[in-house]
Amino acid sequence: MRKQFSPYPTTLVEKGFLMASQLHAGQLRKASIVPDIPYLSHLMEVAGMVMTCGFPETVVVAALFHDLIEDQGSETRDLIREHFGEEVLALVEACTEPGAEGAKKGPWVKRKEAYLERIGHDTLEVLGIIVPDKLQSAREQRRKVRLVGDEAWHELLKEVSDLPQKIALQKWFHTAFVQAVKDQLYIVPHAPQKVAVQALLQELEETVATLFPS
């Protein structure tokens, strides 16, 4: 039987990819090795990891949208709710860093502290998005550090100019993130997806250890 192709989205994930690609159009990655890489590449990698963990389409779509509110502003809430429903919106909300909506963001340390505290309330589905998110970024940063050394950190955490302090803050956050997720994974009910997220978290912990050697 000959395969058929439709130029229109036929699944929730296809529809989500289309919206993510449109709303993040023109946005570029900050820490990529090659300059001017579309931000969509990050979302695709994260959503791919979420999918391979065995989560349903709603969680995969939320992974595609996990930075929408932070990067494109609070008005994107209505778009998510209208086209994908309250379940997807709730997941995106849970992934959104407090004080980071839109262009004007709060102080970095306060945002990260609030984010870390909230992990203690996250469901397995939310953990299944935020772990791949941090893992993809850490993998890319590790590759860049191997190429250019500490210069790789200059593009991150713009509000801090001192490079050793910038690196120290990044180490604090990533180390605390790994521990907070470990603690919460211990609590959430067992499911096949939990084992997959734990494996990704272990890889993240190993990646962080190479990024910030003692």
Side-chain angles (χ1 to χ4, degrees):
M1 182 177 178
R2 185 178 179 182
K3 296 288 186 180
Q4 300 295 314
F5 169 73
S6 171
Y8 306 103
T10 57
T11 69
L12 197 68
V13 172
E14 289 177 359
K15 185 178 175 183
F17 178 81
L18 182 62
M19 187 164 116
S21 63
Q22 290 179 3
L23 294 183
H24 284 282
Q27 186 178 349
L28 304 175
R29 290 285 287 157
K30 290 185 291 186
S32 59
I33 295 172
V34 179
D36 301 330
I37 297 298
Y39 194 77
L40 185 63
S41 63
H42 167 69
L43 304 175
M44 291 169 65
E45 286 194 59
V46 172
M49 282 189 272
V50 172
M51 185 179 287
T52 58
C53 284
F55 286 104
E57 281 194 321
T58 49
V59 186
V60 177
V61 169
L64 287 167
F65 294 166
H66 75 269
D67 282 331
L68 262 184
I69 297 173
E70 289 184 19
D71 293 344
Q72 308 302 326
S74 59
E75 63 272 14
T76 55
R77 287 186 172 92
D78 292 335
L79 282 172
I80 297 170
R81 181 184 293 109
E82 178 183 353
H83 295 284
F84 296 91
E86 293 290 347
E87 181 182 354
V88 172
L89 177 59
L91 289 168
V92 178
E93 292 275 19
C95 295
T96 301
E97 196 173 272
E101 295 181 20
K104 190 174 181 180
K105 302 183 188 300
W108 189 89
V109 171
K110 287 187 176 180
R111 287 189 281 119
K112 299 303 180 186
E113 287 175 340
Y115 181 77
L116 291 169
E117 182 178 353
R118 199 173 62 188
I119 289 174
H121 304 283
D122 284 346
T123 63
L124 178 59
E125 290 75 16
V126 175
L127 298 175
I129 298 171
I130 64 175
V131 171
D133 174 31
K134 298 299 180 289
L135 176 57
Q136 195 285 325
S137 297
R139 284 173 177 170
E140 191 161 12
Q141 186 66 4
R142 180 178 59 184
R143 291 192 290 266
K144 194 167 183 182
V145 167
R146 284 173 174 170
L147 284 175
V148 301
D150 286 350
E151 292 296 314
W153 298 103
H154 278 299
E155 292 301 312
L156 304 177
L157 189 48
K158 292 283 193 178
E159 66 188 72
V160 176
S161 57
D162 180 71
L163 185 58
Q165 183 185 5
K166 191 189 294 266
I167 296 173
L169 285 170
Q170 291 284 353
K171 180 180 181 180
W172 159 75
F173 171 70
H174 284 85
T175 304
F177 175 87
V178 168
Q179 187 58 54
V181 174
K182 273 186 181 180
D183 293 343
Q184 188 62 10
L185 276 172
Y186 183 79
I187 296 171
V188 297
H190 180 75
Q193 295 89 346
K194 179 176 177 176
V195 177
V197 176
Q198 286 172 325
L200 293 180
L201 183 65
Q202 182 177 353
E203 183 181 349
L204 176 59
E205 186 172 22
E206 293 165 356
T207 304
V208 169
T210 60
L211 274 173
F212 309 104
S214 301

